[in-house]
Amino acid sequence: MTDTTSAYCGPDRILSGMQPTGGLHLGNYLGALKNWALMQDSGKQCFFCAVDMHAMTMEYDPALLPGRVRGVAAAYIAAGVDPARSAIFAQSAVPEHAELNWVLQCVARMGWMERMTQFKDKAGSGKDAERASVGLFTYPVLMAADILVYKATHVPVGDDQKQHLELARDIAARFNRDFGGGRIILPEPEPVIMPVGARIMSLKDGSRKMSKSDPSENARINLYDDADTIARKIRKAKTDSEPLPETAGSLDKRPEAKNLVGLYAALTGESIDDVLDEFGGKGFGAFKPRLAEVAVEYMAPVSEEYARLLNEKAEINAVLKNGAERARATARSVMTEVRALIGYWNA
Ligand code: ADP
Ligand code: TRP
């Protein structure tokens, strides 16, 4: 594929989002949120949304959704996203996401959608898959709309979102080909993935990612967990009985050990080799208490600020209102351009 982003003349913009489907966890933080805060310093315009429309693709309680959007916004701010520099908003407050979604549904091809692995993971198989919502199937198109409605060029996400970003790029390229008349209207967005921490695994099963939807609370460290809870979850984390190895390659067949070492590296900013230099040959009895200490120390300022903000309803509501207004101004102008290109009625 040609690198069309380099030929794109518009400004660089950053967009990302998380689903308000439950409290955020350390995987969300190390894999994405931390990077959002850092990327604000690039001087690029930033948009960070709570994707409440995506949260409707699985069973959910409408009465809980607005509170969860507020919770996600509070987590963004606690993690260092600055509402003065970045627009923080609810996806549903900017109707242009839904408007572009339809346009892009007519651009995306069935074959592209059928390759999406997240649908297969979330929908299951047989009768379960038949009962899945159509929205769950078309979820990645709405995600493409979230990005392209701002002409975002950079999307900081965890490793699991790579395939969705690839689809967004394909959709943008096809839109440009069909409607751009040789111009790049929608830039192909680049995923921005952290070198360490992009895939934190469950504390109970090193082959599954840490997730909000995991039924076991002990599988994840939540942003709101206090020091004792964090230490207890790490103490109980699944491990094997071997001491830690001296070299990174030897971790490959030991998913739980690899995850805990990766977690230590992501929290301290050290490389995996540095961590093994210090802990290689030592057992988990020595490593886990150090990891717990590091995690508690690292997370305390974030979780304290998060807890404080959860009580500041009015403050968060104001941030979300202001963020939506700013986001909408950009989304509206992109939609005006799109509507003219696709032949919508405009008499
Ligand atoms: P969850 O799977 O917990 O519901 P989301 O799908 O809402 O999380 O993900 C929000 C963001 O956090 C995405 O950018 C995603 O890639 C990132 N992310 C989610 N889980 C992890 C993880 N275990 N490790 C690293 N990043 C993650
Ligand atoms: N699909 C993402 C996830 O599950 C959430 C998401 C929705 C998103 N729209 C987005 C992420 C746009 C980045 C950009 O984590």
Side-chain angles (χ1 to χ4, degrees):
M1 189 162 295
T2 51
D3 181 9
T4 46
T5 38
S6 58
Y8 173 67
C9 302
D12 280 352
R13 289 193 184 125
I14 296 167
L15 174 127
S16 199
M18 293 198 186
Q19 297 192 68
T21 42
L24 302 193
H25 52 76
L26 195 55
N28 298 133
Y29 181 76
L30 294 172
L33 258 183
K34 187 179 153 197
N35 209 13
W36 300 4
L38 293 172
M39 287 180 82
Q40 292 181 117
D41 298 332
S42 65
K44 298 180 174 65
Q45 224 182 330
C46 293
F47 300 88
F48 297 118
C49 54
V51 290
D52 48 353
M53 290 156 69
H54 278 106
M56 299 167 63
T57 56
M58 308 275 279
E59 211 168 309
Y60 78 106
D61 182 348
L64 296 181
L65 198 52
R68 289 192 163 162
V69 167
R70 220 178 359 251
V72 166
Y76 292 179
I77 300 168
V81 177
D82 170 10
R85 287 188 288 162
S86 298
I88 298 176
F89 59 101
Q91 181 190 32
S92 64
V94 182
E96 286 75 12
H97 290 235
E99 192 180 358
L100 185 61
N101 175 47
W102 176 252
V103 178
L104 301 185
Q105 288 212 29
C106 298
V107 172
R109 306 290 97 187
M110 283 300 286
W112 303 353
M113 300 302 296
E114 277 160 2
R115 283 197 286 275
M116 295 291 116
T117 52
Q118 184 177 290
F119 175 76
K120 290 175 198 147
D121 293 345
K122 290 202 173 175
S125 54
K127 283 272 173 252
D128 285 340
E130 279 176 29
R131 275 192 288 266
S133 72
V134 176
L136 187 64
F137 183 68
T138 59
Y139 172 119
V141 181
L142 178 60
M143 176 164 164
D146 298 338
I147 299 166
L148 301 177
V149 82
Y150 301 99
K151 300 194 178 191
T153 50
H154 296 84
V155 184
V157 281
D159 191 60
D160 60 325
Q161 297 300 311
K162 259 192 202 153
Q163 194 186 41
H164 289 160
L165 257 297
E166 217 25 73
L167 179 85
R169 291 172 64 83
D170 288 344
I171 290 177
R174 173 96 189 215
F175 180 92
N176 294 333
R177 196 191 79 189
D178 290 353
F179 303 106
R183 287 180 307 144
I184 296 164
I185 308 296
L186 304 175
E188 290 181 37
E190 302 274 354
V192 182
I193 295 178
M194 296 289 253
V196 183
R199 196 170 180 79
I200 304 292
M201 308 311 278
S202 152
L203 297 180
K204 290 282 152 201
D205 176 351
S207 66
R208 281 188 299 135
K209 78 169 190 119
M210 187 178 281
S211 172
K212 293 189 218 94
S213 50
D214 196 310
S216 166
E217 269 294 313
N218 289 332
R220 66 181 158 264
I221 294 175
N222 299 302
L223 283 199
Y224 54 77
D225 283 345
D226 60 24
D228 287 349
T229 311
I230 295 177
R232 179 174 49 77
K233 287 180 177 176
I234 290 179
R235 207 166 46 240
K236 289 181 141 189
K238 187 176 168 197
T239 48
D240 51 38
S241 51
E242 301 289 312
L244 284 168
E246 309 282 343
T247 57
S250 318
L251 284 171
D252 282 344
K253 291 204 173 72
R254 299 175 59 188
E256 282 83 16
K258 185 175 181 175
N259 188 37
L260 295 186
V261 170
L263 199 53
Y264 191 96
L267 288 166
T268 57
E270 289 174 29
S271 70
I272 302 284
D273 288 333
D274 288 343
V275 181
L276 293 179
D277 276 349
E278 188 180 345
F279 292 101
K282 297 197 176 126
F284 286 100
F287 180 63
K288 278 181 165 180
R290 277 295 295 140
L291 175 60
E293 242 171 69
V294 163
V296 166
E297 187 183 312
Y298 188 90
M299 293 312 292
V302 179
S303 50
E304 277 163 25
E305 182 62 357
Y306 183 42
R308 186 190 73 77
L309 287 166
L310 286 177
N311 290 318
E312 299 292 341
K313 271 193 179 181
E315 182 184 334
I316 305 292
N317 288 352
V319 164
L320 286 163
K321 183 162 183 279
N322 176 268
E325 280 162 10
R326 282 150 60 194
R328 215 171 165 197
T330 302
R332 248 200 224 113
S333 80
V334 173
M335 274 320 293
T336 302
E337 188 183 4
V338 167
R339 289 176 71 95
L341 291 170
I342 59 178
Y344 268 5
W345 182 256
N346 72 347

